[in-house]
Amino acid sequence: MSRRRFLAASAGCAGYLAAAGPLLPPAALGRWRTPRRRIVAQEPFARIEDLGLGMFAIVSTPLDGDYTTVCNGGIIMGRTATLVVEAFASPEGAAWVCEQALELTGGWPTHVVVTHYHRDHAAGAGAFARGDGTPHSLHATEATRDLVLDSRADEELKAAWADAVILAGDAETGIDLGGRVATVVPRGGHTASDVTVEVDGGEGPVWCGDLVWNAMFPNYMDAEPTRLARSVYALHALRTEVFVPGHGPLADVDDVARYIAMIDVVGEYAREVWRLGMTAEEAASRFQVPEDLGEWVLFDPGYYQRAIEAWMDEIVGDS
């Protein structure tokens, strides 16, 4: 991947939110702002919802124009360690999460798992280093680490990533927190190297990264559509009742089923317009998510075209 493409992709969603937020209908904003669980902390940019048993979901709420965190994430407490999912869009956002983890669990985060390289999930990594030398470890796949280090990120961010603990790209990794194991599962599809964080063998909460978006149309910038679909099908088959998507409100199994139906519609549409000889741009101008699948917020007008192009690239590669 070129540096130019990395910079374009690593901006994540934040570059489009200022334009998108004011245009969203009240129903869409209301759904984003409505919690599924008890709120234990809240700022204009994010809220923290209590999932029970020392686990918390961080739900970012950037549509009002505050991009401190942007992506969703989480806090998972064990008897001897505390894990945070995602490094967020800025050091300020990550620092807020660290303080909240300390308040909620009694411990500074000892482990940080970043699900993929996009900047809105990775840029705050430096904030987890505490001034008193409290140890912590940043966990990511080798591909995720290398994409960050190969970018034109500032030196402070590169320093935070230089000693990342490398997760296996082809096998699950268990992180022992003391009485609880957080399992990092390599899946892929949103990028070439995505992971999910799962508790209790997939029966507890699952942090999906950007493999799952809830009530928001996903970004296919680096997507491998068929692989993405396989990953989402596998997540939907888990026995959990709580999915923490990369963006949007908390999801349940019905929300993920609706997301699967939506991405399947995109794939079917892309295959049909490719057979008809349409360009991705022309096809995107005619595409709408079916009304019976509910409302899907579109961060950027180019997201439809990007998704159709990703499908077309895969179709051409397979033909």
Side-chain angles (χ1 to χ4, degrees):
M1 178 178 289
S2 69
R3 285 186 174 184
R4 181 177 180 181
R5 189 176 179 199
F6 174 87
L7 290 173
S10 67
C13 304
Y16 304 120
L17 291 172
L23 301 178
L24 294 177
L29 287 171
R31 184 172 182 185
W32 194 310
R33 292 172 177 149
T34 301
R36 291 283 183 93
R37 301 295 180 95
R38 181 174 66 93
I39 295 176
V40 295
Q42 188 162 21
E43 294 290 341
F45 53 81
R47 63 178 178 265
I48 300 180
E49 298 185 32
D50 188 353
L51 303 181
L53 300 177
M55 294 179 285
F56 305 88
I58 298 161
V59 179
S60 286
T61 52
L63 292 184
D64 286 328
D66 191 329
Y67 315 136
T68 304
T69 51
V70 179
C71 74
N72 294 343
I75 300 168
I76 305 172
M77 180 181 71
R79 287 199 301 265
T80 59
T82 298
L83 183 149
V84 166
V85 183
E86 307 295 16
F88 304 96
S90 72
E92 294 78 14
W96 177 77
V97 171
C98 288
E99 293 294 342
Q100 296 305 314
L102 180 60
E103 178 72 20
L104 292 166
T105 72
W108 192 264
T110 53
H111 301 77
V112 184
V113 174
V114 178
T115 62
H116 64 288
Y117 82 93
H118 287 165
R119 190 174 180 87
D120 54 321
H121 296 252
F128 291 91
R130 198 174 185 186
D132 63 3
T134 300
H136 77 285
S137 53
L138 180 69
H139 300 257
T141 65
E142 184 174 14
T144 294
R145 189 273 316 269
D146 289 351
L147 281 164
V148 174
L149 293 180
D150 289 345
S151 75
R152 288 181 288 181
D154 59 62
E155 293 305 312
E156 184 177 353
L157 179 57
K158 288 185 177 182
W161 276 87
D163 296 325
V165 176
I166 299 303
L167 296 166
D170 57 359
E172 297 180 0
T173 301
I175 300 177
D176 187 357
L177 305 177
R180 167 175 286 154
V181 174
T183 303
V184 184
V185 182
R187 296 193 184 274
H190 174 68
T191 71
S193 184
D194 301 280
V195 300
T196 56
V197 180
E198 305 173 16
V199 179
D200 296 334
E203 295 188 8
V206 174
W207 282 264
C208 304
D210 280 4
L211 292 170
V212 174
W213 297 47
N214 188 17
M216 312 188 68
F217 193 89
N219 181 0
Y220 275 70
M221 171 70 75
D222 299 311
E224 303 171 44
T226 298
R227 188 180 180 196
L228 171 63
R230 285 200 302 266
S231 291
V232 180
Y233 298 157
L235 289 169
H236 184 251
L238 297 176
R239 297 179 64 183
T240 183
E241 296 180 356
V242 180
F243 298 88
V244 183
H247 300 275
L250 291 183
D252 58 23
V253 67
D254 291 335
D255 294 318
V256 177
R258 187 163 45 249
Y259 177 66
I260 287 172
M262 190 272 293
I263 61 176
D264 283 349
V265 163
V266 175
E268 292 166 5
Y269 179 77
R271 285 186 284 268
E272 179 62 25
V273 296
W274 181 79
R275 284 193 293 267
L276 294 173
M278 284 190 195
T279 66
E281 181 178 9
E282 182 183 4
S285 70
R286 302 182 181 191
F287 178 74
Q288 291 292 329
V289 176
E291 289 186 6
D292 61 356
L293 295 182
E295 190 170 34
W296 293 83
V297 174
L298 193 64
F299 269 157
D300 173 70
Y303 273 20
Y304 287 163
Q305 182 174 336
R306 190 171 295 166
I308 293 166
E309 285 174 344
W311 270 108
M312 286 184 171
D313 287 345
E314 188 171 282
I315 292 165
V316 170
D318 291 340
S319 62

